[in-house]
């Protein structure tokens, strides 16, 4: 078989593999059966005919170069792969040392009595008050920021003398980021002449001007179950009543009985085995939910979803395009034997921030649907905030985009903050790495996440961060220390996201 | 079209620089790589693949075998092909690239030698080159297939042929036979590889420490 043919076969096999077991696969099979009954089709040559057709018609462009190894797909730049690898090693060391210091096994099977107990209080795990003081999170966001700050390309001129090539911000890698003209083009639906939810639905604006029509279109999109149209629609914001269904449509989540069954299976896995990361999850949820005015009601949901998420092996498939790799371990006594190699935790993620689930609890109340939505959002978007990669939506690019926007369009502010030792990224990093969850008011956050789904990119987080700085620029110019700058930007809960974005992108005189 | 790798000899890169290499301060922005084919007769070039390493623009010149007794001349077959859209940033810097015959400006029928001219105008990078260079010629041709008409021109349902007395409907018979045949093929070929989501080994998830490799 020639190179091209084997590549196409591989792609077809991969697509079939992914579709297997889904509703779409059953429909396609039925159609195929119906077509096979036509007498002019010769079954012996069917496979070859279809392959040849695909090649000639150009319907299947190859996603990546055939010579590229799988690591290249995860992350094309070698030095970033290396940095991600050493970061992961640090996390593994931290987990291992926690394990040995506290003499708690990484995983153990729960005795039957304990399993029954957990099953009984499954819906109220928040009432538990286990002693978690000895557990510390695997890493803090500022550790991760330090790693990003120290990223260097060995082939790049990192000279000490200041020149045009010096990066004045914290990020020192020359990734391509968009400037405002390119962002304007990209986020064209956020322009001044287009209606937006978050701006044109405020009480002073009569609903006949925009809101009513927008809601009507949203209902139509839902009636037609058109996923692509939903994605386009949500760029102008989603009405609260329709949001849950629209997001499910965009993420291709439909609650089939098999999905509910799958979630129940995960729940059983949680009950059977107790993992060390469970304690870390408890601690993270307590930190996120207990003290937060908006999220404390969802504490129990957060436990359920995160615990199940950590047992979900289907998440492992996203590592094909994530620069990170899942931690590996061996069954006790079988060190080095590949048949006894497993991933730990089963889904490969040892740090998931509970804050990215909490806003979803406002939309979805049924645990298995909430779980599916969260999982899909995680493997599409949020994983990029926790691994080192050169992807335009990766955290490194977002940081660089934020710094570049601030430097280019607010140079005085940037220079002032830098002079007083308050590098802007140190303040905005925590916002971006949590996708602003826990910092904005919930309705504003959901409007922001509408745009993340609509544009299929996280760049809007960096733009919003810069817009917030622009908004508070006057106050920030008067501060004289990092602590004072943090104080000015401590409370974002009163901000209205869409006007800030619109002004920064489309109404600022440059 | 299949392709066959051609063994080639890649000579060391030569930097082109104005002025004395020792005394001038800037880094060279132009490199030349010569590729010869010592043990192969003049061949038809099909494809060139390589891994980029911070080269921004690539030009290729080729020297072809001429039948007459005229000396072979160098001809430019690719001019300033852009590998990095922004030479100052990382986009495209470490990508795998393929260049095909149809992208070349001239006929690549009897290639003797290739010369790759790499350009990187940005002073930010310490070095640049291309790696893992592979040259391919055309492999044995597969018999050209005209794909059957039913794929490109689906036929509308025809009028059923009037049945001969006493015989079953031929199109029904043929479709049933096909169905049975397809079923047997399917059963023979299928084996489930759907994941069942097990993360443990035979019910056991009792682990050592995490491994670093």
């Amino acid at each position: 078989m020639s190179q091209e043919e084997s590549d196409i076969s591989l792609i077809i096999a991969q697509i079939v593999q992914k579709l297997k077991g889904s509703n779409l696969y059953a429909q396609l099979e039925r159609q195929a059966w119906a077509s096979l009954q036509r007498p002019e089709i010769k079954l012996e040559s069917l496979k070859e005919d279809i392959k040849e057709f695909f090649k000639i018609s150009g319907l299947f462009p190859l996603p990546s170069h055939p010579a590229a190894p799988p690591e290249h797909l995860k992350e094309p730049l070698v030095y970033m792969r290396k940095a991600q690898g050493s970061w992961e090693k640090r996390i593994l060391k931290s987990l291992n040392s926690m394990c040995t210091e506290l003499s708690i096994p990484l995983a153990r099977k729960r005795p039957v009595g304990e399993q029954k107990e957990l099953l009984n209080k499954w819906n109220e795990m928040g009432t538990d008050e286990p002693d978690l003081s000895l557990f510390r999170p695997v890493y803090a966001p500022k550790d991760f920021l330090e790693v990003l700050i120290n990223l260097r390309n060995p082939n790049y001129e990192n000279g000490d003398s200041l020149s045009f090539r010096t990066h004045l911000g914290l990020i020192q890698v020359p990734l391509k980021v968009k400037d405002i003209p390119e962002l304007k083009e990209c986020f064209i639906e956020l322009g001044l002449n287009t209606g937006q939810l978050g701006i044109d639905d405020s009480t002073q604006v009569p609903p006949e001007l925009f809101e009513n029509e927008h809601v009507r279109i949203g209902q139509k999109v839902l009636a037609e179950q058109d996923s692509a149209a939903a994605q386009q629609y949500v760029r102008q914001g989603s009405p609260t009543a329709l949001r849950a269904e629209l997001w499910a449509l965009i993420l291709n989540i439909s609650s089939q009985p098999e999905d509910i069954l799958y979630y129940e299976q995960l729940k059983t896995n949680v009950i059977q085995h107790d993992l060390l990361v469970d304690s870390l999850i408890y601690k993270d949820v307590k930190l996120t939910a207990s003290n937060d005015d908006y999220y404390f009601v969802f504490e129990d949901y957060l436990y359920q979803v995160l615990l199940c998420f950590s047992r979900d092996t289907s998440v492992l498939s996203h590592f094909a395009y994530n620069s990170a790799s899942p931690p590996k371990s061996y069954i006790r006594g079988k060190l080095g034997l590949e048949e006894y190699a497993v991933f730990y935790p089963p889904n490969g993620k040892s740090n998931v921030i509970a804050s990215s689930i909490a806003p979803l609890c406002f939309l979805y109340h049924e645990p298995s649907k909430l779980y599916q939505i969260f999982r899909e959002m995680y493997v599409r978007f949020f994983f990029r905030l926790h691994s080192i990669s050169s992807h335009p939506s990766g955290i490194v690019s977002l940081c660089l985009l934020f710094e570049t926007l601030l430097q280019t369009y607010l140079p005085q502010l940037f220079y002032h903050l830098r002079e007083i030792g308050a590098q802007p990224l140190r303040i905005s990093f925590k916002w971006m790495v949590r996708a602003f969850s826990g910092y904005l008011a919930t309705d504003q956050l959901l409007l922001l996440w509408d745009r993340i789904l609509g544009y299929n990119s996280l760049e809007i987080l960096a733009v919003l961060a810069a817009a917030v700085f622009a908004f508070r620029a006057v106050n920030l110019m008067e501060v004289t220390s990092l602590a004072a700058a943090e104080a000015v930007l401590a409370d974002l809960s009163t901000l209205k996201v869409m006007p800030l974005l619109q002004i920064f992108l489309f109404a600022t005189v440059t | 079209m299949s392709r066959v790798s051609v063994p080639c000899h890649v000579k060391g890169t030569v930097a082109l620089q104005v002025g004395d290499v020792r005394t001038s301060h800037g880094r060279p922005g132009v490199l030349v790589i010569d590729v010869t084919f010592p043990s192969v007769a003049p061949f038809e070039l099909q494809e060139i693949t390589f891994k980029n390493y911070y080269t921004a623009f690539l030009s290729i010149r080729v020297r072809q075998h001429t039948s007459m007794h005229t000396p072979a001349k160098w001809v430019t077959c690719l001019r300033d092909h852009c590998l990095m859209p922004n030479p100052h940033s990382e986009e495209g810097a470490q990508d795998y690239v393929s260049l095909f015959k149809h992208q070349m400006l001239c006929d690549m029928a009897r290639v003797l030698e290739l010369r790759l001219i790499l350009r990187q105008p940005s002073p930010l990078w310490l070095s640049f080159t291309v790696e893992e260079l592979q040259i391919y010629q055309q492999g044995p041709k597969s018999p050209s297939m005209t794909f059957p008409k039913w794929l490109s021109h689906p036929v509308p349902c025809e009028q059923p042929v009037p049945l001969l007395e006493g015989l079953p409907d031929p199109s029904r018979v043929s479709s049933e036979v096909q169905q049975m045949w397809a079923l047997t093929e399917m059963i023979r070929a299928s084996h489930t590889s759907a994941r069942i989501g097990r993360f443990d080994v035979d019910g056991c998830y009792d682990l050592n420490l995490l491994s670093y490799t």
Side-chain angles (χ1 to χ4, degrees):
Chain A
M1 226 193 310
S2 84
Q3 186 64 25
E4 272 178 63
E5 284 178 11
S6 61
D7 296 332
I8 290 189
S9 302
L10 188 63
I11 294 179
I12 295 178
Q14 284 174 349
I15 294 180
V16 168
Q17 183 64 26
K18 290 206 94 164
L19 283 179
K20 250 192 166 77
S22 75
N23 203 8
L24 182 60
Y25 187 76
Q27 286 178 2
L28 286 173
E29 246 186 337
R30 274 199 290 279
Q31 286 278 34
W33 277 123
S35 319
L36 277 178
Q37 287 166 30
R38 306 232 304 269
E40 63 262 19
I41 298 173
K42 293 195 257 315
L43 276 179
E44 324 76 71
S45 63
L46 184 64
K47 210 159 137 186
E48 290 305 317
D49 292 342
I50 294 186
K51 268 204 288 198
E52 196 61 36
F53 178 64
F54 280 145
K55 247 197 308 180
I56 299 177
S57 63
L59 275 177
F60 270 71
L62 298 175
S64 68
H65 196 272
E71 310 88 69
H72 195 262
L73 250 181
K74 286 158 77 86
E75 170 52 53
L77 301 179
V78 173
Y79 73 92
M80 288 232 175
R81 287 207 294 264
K82 286 211 173 99
Q84 174 66 24
S86 19
W87 171 240
E88 277 168 13
K89 245 195 173 123
R90 260 175 74 174
I91 296 181
L92 292 190
K93 285 208 170 111
S94 170
L95 267 174
N96 274 346
S97 65
M98 208 186 300
C99 183
T100 42
E101 275 171 34
L102 303 175
S103 311
I104 297 179
L106 283 179
R108 72 179 173 99
K109 196 152 176 134
R110 269 188 241 267
V112 176
E114 199 185 314
Q115 287 189 24
K116 275 217 193 87
E117 207 190 308
L118 184 56
L119 189 56
N120 284 339
K121 58 173 187 23
W122 178 257
N123 287 321
E124 3 159 287
M125 282 187 274
T127 52
D128 239 359
E129 292 283 345
D131 178 18
L132 298 172
S133 51
L134 293 169
F135 289 99
R136 39 179 208 285
V138 180
Y139 67 87
K142 58 175 166 49
D143 300 327
F144 191 44
L145 178 59
E146 287 303 316
V147 173
L148 299 185
I149 292 172
N150 291 323
L151 259 183
R152 293 288 182 277
N153 180 344
N155 195 34
Y156 188 69
E157 174 79 60
N158 285 311
D160 287 324
S161 55
L162 278 178
S163 68
F164 79 93
R165 56 192 79 159
T166 317
H167 289 255
L168 292 171
L170 292 174
I171 304 290
Q172 300 288 320
V173 290
L175 296 173
K176 168 87 177 74
V177 291
K178 299 188 168 82
D179 54 10
I180 286 202
E182 286 169 325
L183 287 169
K184 270 182 168 157
E185 221 179 281
C186 177
F187 294 117
I188 196 165
E189 291 87 351
L190 300 182
L192 296 166
N193 293 328
T194 317
Q196 301 291 331
L197 286 184
I199 300 175
D200 299 292
D201 57 335
S202 66
T203 42
Q204 300 97 322
V205 180
E208 302 85 57
L209 280 181
F210 168 71
E211 204 181 340
N212 288 350
E213 180 62 20
H214 192 62
V215 173
R216 204 185 58 79
I217 298 177
Q219 285 161 342
K220 197 155 165 236
V221 166
L222 280 176
E224 312 244 331
Q225 287 289 293
D226 189 340
S227 179
Q231 194 171 346
Q232 179 67 31
Y233 171 78
V234 126
R235 291 178 182 188
Q236 291 172 263
S238 161
T240 316
L242 305 178
R243 184 175 278 128
E245 286 179 56
L246 280 170
W247 283 18
L249 184 56
I250 296 173
L251 297 169
N252 290 326
I253 307 284
S254 55
S255 270
Q256 307 281 352
E258 50 261 28
D259 301 313
I260 302 179
L261 217 60
Y262 189 76
Y263 180 73
E264 291 297 316
Q265 176 65 40
L266 292 176
K267 186 170 150 185
T268 317
N269 289 341
V270 174
I271 292 185
Q272 280 181 345
H273 292 272
D274 178 28
L275 303 184
L276 176 66
V277 289
D278 291 353
S279 309
L280 300 174
I281 290 174
Y282 273 124
K283 190 149 186 161
D284 186 30
V285 173
K286 277 268 182 262
L287 278 171
T288 305
S290 323
N291 296 326
D292 191 304
D293 297 331
Y294 299 115
Y295 298 149
F296 73 93
V297 286
F298 300 125
E299 199 177 329
D300 299 320
Y301 273 143
L302 295 179
Y303 288 126
Q304 293 172 22
V305 168
L306 271 175
L307 289 174
C308 289
F309 184 65
S310 65
R311 306 319 193 250
D312 192 348
T313 49
S314 70
V315 175
L316 291 172
S317 57
H318 94 287
F319 283 107
Y321 51 88
N322 183 354
S323 62
S325 302
K328 223 168 87 160
S329 182
Y330 295 91
I331 299 292
R332 203 179 286 280
K334 312 275 184 201
L335 190 63
L337 296 174
E338 277 317 302
E339 319 81 85
Y340 292 93
V342 291
F343 293 114
Y344 182 86
N347 74 342
K349 309 296 304 185
S350 51
N351 191 78
V352 175
I353 302 177
S355 55
S356 39
I357 314 177
L360 301 174
C361 297
F362 283 100
L363 299 173
Y364 304 98
H365 308 296
E366 208 252 293
S368 75
K369 187 135 191 204
L370 172 64
Y371 177 75
Q372 280 183 281
I373 296 274
F374 163 66
R375 180 180 61 181
E376 192 59 32
M377 285 203 73
Y378 190 82
V379 301
R380 273 201 207 192
F381 305 112
F382 295 140
F383 76 92
R384 298 203 191 275
L385 299 170
H386 307 146
S387 49
I388 302 175
S389 88
S390 59
H391 193 272
S393 274
I395 188 70
V396 188
S397 302
L398 294 183
C399 290
L400 187 59
L401 176 60
F402 163 74
E403 288 191 320
T404 313
L405 284 175
L406 212 58
Q407 240 181 299
T408 316
Y409 299 100
L410 293 158
Q412 263 193 317
L413 175 64
F414 189 87
Y415 182 75
H416 171 74
L417 289 173
R418 202 166 164 263
E419 286 295 290
I420 62 171
Q423 277 274 9
L425 184 61
R426 290 203 188 275
I427 304 175
S428 64
F429 183 74
K430 53 186 184 295
W431 304 336
M432 290 192 285
V433 94
R434 291 167 64 136
F436 283 89
S437 167
Y439 296 102
L440 295 173
T442 314
D443 61 326
Q444 296 301 312
L445 182 70
L446 293 174
L447 285 170
L448 179 67
W449 286 19
D450 280 339
R451 272 68 180 192
I452 293 181
L453 280 169
Y455 290 102
N456 202 32
S457 135
L458 295 170
E459 285 160 318
I460 198 125
L461 297 176
V463 181
L464 180 61
V468 170
F469 271 74
F471 184 59
R472 299 238 168 115
V474 174
N475 292 5
L476 284 170
M477 283 303 286
E478 292 173 9
V479 299
T480 50
S481 71
L482 173 60
E486 299 244 17
V488 169
L489 294 165
D491 183 15
L492 306 182
S493 56
T494 52
L495 292 182
K496 299 271 177 264
V497 158
M498 298 317 301
L500 282 182
L501 283 170
Q502 218 178 41
I503 292 174
F504 186 74
L505 284 176
F506 295 96
T508 306
V509 175
T510 49
Chain B
M1 301 297 160
S2 58
R3 59 178 196 188
V4 168
S5 172
V6 179
C8 56
H9 174 68
V10 179
K11 293 209 188 128
T13 53
V14 174
L16 301 183
Q17 209 170 359
V18 174
D20 197 343
V21 174
R22 282 186 297 273
T23 55
S24 66
H25 295 293
R27 278 187 285 275
V30 185
L31 292 180
V32 176
I33 300 180
D34 273 326
V35 183
T36 55
F37 307 95
S39 47
V40 178
F43 64 95
E44 175 163 8
L45 184 95
Q46 178 78 3
E47 188 182 339
I48 303 178
T49 56
F50 57 87
K51 181 175 186 301
N52 188 15
Y53 189 75
Y54 294 95
T55 307
F57 301 100
L58 175 67
S59 302
I60 304 183
R61 307 198 85 206
V62 65
R63 198 155 69 95
Q64 306 206 57
H65 176 80
T66 46
S67 47
M68 257 78 79
H69 294 294
T70 50
K73 279 196 332 199
W74 285 99
V75 181
T76 304
C77 58
L78 190 67
R79 198 186 302 275
D80 278 345
H81 181 78
C82 179
L83 298 172
M84 284 168 66
N86 180 348
H88 293 305
S89 78
E90 300 260 13
E91 209 181 337
Q94 298 192 24
D95 280 351
Y96 285 83
V97 181
S98 271
L99 297 168
F100 297 94
K101 184 171 75 168
H102 61 81
Q103 291 172 269
M104 306 289 176
L105 296 168
C106 68
D107 180 28
M108 305 289 283
R110 287 174 301 272
V111 172
L112 277 176
E113 245 190 291
L114 283 178
R115 182 167 280 170
L116 278 72
I117 302 169
L118 316 175
R119 290 203 300 118
Q120 175 49 273
S122 167
L124 295 174
W125 311 110
L126 298 175
S127 72
F128 64 98
T129 181
V130 296
E131 297 167 347
E132 296 174 36
L133 191 61
Q134 302 257 25
I135 316 286
Y136 296 95
Q137 65 174 332
Q138 199 162 20
K141 263 200 161 89
S142 51
S144 66
M145 295 222 251
T146 55
F147 50 90
K149 294 234 294 276
W150 65 268
L151 269 171
S152 53
H153 306 289
V155 172
C157 288
E158 302 156 340
Q159 295 287 5
V161 173
L163 288 173
L164 295 173
E165 303 228 25
L167 289 173
D169 175 17
S171 57
R172 248 188 76 200
V173 171
S174 93
S175 72
E176 277 171 27
V177 168
Q178 284 200 337
Q179 258 184 323
M180 283 197 286
W181 188 88
L183 258 176
T184 54
E185 280 294 287
M186 214 179 75
I187 291 172
R188 203 165 5 131
S190 78
H191 59 280
T192 179
S193 49
R195 274 217 291 254
I196 34 182
R198 298 283 300 278
F199 57 82
D200 51 350
V201 177
D202 297 332
C204 174
Y205 196 59
D206 197 24
L207 301 177
N208 251 327
L209 291 178
L210 298 171
S211 72
Y212 296 125
T213 46

